[in-house]
Amino acid sequence: MFGFFLELIFRSIKLDKKLYKEVKTYSEVSIYFAAIIMILDGVAGAIATNNFYKTSLSLSALTAILTWFFWAVLIFTIGAKIFPDKDTKVTFKKILIAVGIAHAPGLLRFIALTPDLVMPIIFLTQFWIFASLIISTKEAVSYTHLTLPTNREV
């Protein structure tokens, strides 16, 4: 079980797009893993930025959970309801899991131990999270029209 959890984290950090196509990624336990990733992401951000301003770890964890739901609702509404592709058949739970797992690069904020490294690591991990969110959204929502045409198709 813990091995599967670590596999989700490492594959998300590696930006593995196949992760979001596998059925086992969306198993019953995955929603809990996604929640743990989001809570740890909030705590990692709070610890990293604690050098600049003091913040509560519990408030950061709560903010991370609210952010998780906000992103999931936004992606589900836009990707599955307003602009669905012809193959889009996705549940809100699947989007919730994909968004949670896509935040795994934020766990790297735990390595921001010195004040000089905090801002570069936060900046880097935030863009890493955005890249992971783009991949997870494209794969979970089954968008095919976002790919660039090949030379044969042009």
Side-chain angles (χ1 to χ4, degrees), residues 29-153:
V29 74
S30 295
I31 191 78
Y32 301 108
F33 288 160
I36 291 169
I37 290 170
M38 288 304 299
I39 291 169
L40 289 175
D41 182 42
V43 170
I47 290 172
T49 59
N50 214 15
N51 294 321
F52 300 111
Y53 58 91
K54 302 297 179 201
T55 183
S56 165
L57 293 180
S58 59
L59 182 62
S60 295
L62 178 64
T63 303
I65 294 294
L66 293 175
T67 303
W68 179 33
F69 282 108
F70 172 78
W71 274 110
V73 167
L74 188 69
I75 290 169
F76 182 75
T77 303
I78 294 171
K81 297 299 179 192
I82 297 176
F83 300 112
D85 203 20
K86 63 181 185 241
D87 297 330
T88 301
K89 293 178 184 75
V90 65
T91 63
F92 180 71
K93 182 180 176 184
K94 186 174 181 179
I95 296 295
L96 201 60
I97 292 170
V99 169
I101 294 170
H103 276 79
L107 300 178
L108 295 175
R109 293 177 184 157
F110 278 118
I111 65 171
L113 300 175
T114 64
D116 295 337
L117 290 177
V118 171
M119 291 313 284
I121 288 177
I122 289 175
F123 185 75
L124 175 72
T125 56
Q126 196 59 46
F127 278 103
W128 204 339
I129 289 169
F130 286 146
S132 188
L133 278 169
I134 290 167
I135 291 168
S136 70
T137 300
K138 182 181 181 293
E139 298 302 319
V141 179
S142 300
Y143 275 151
T144 56
H145 65 277
L146 292 178
T147 57
L148 297 173
T150 61
N151 289 338
R152 294 180 198 156
E153 294 174 355

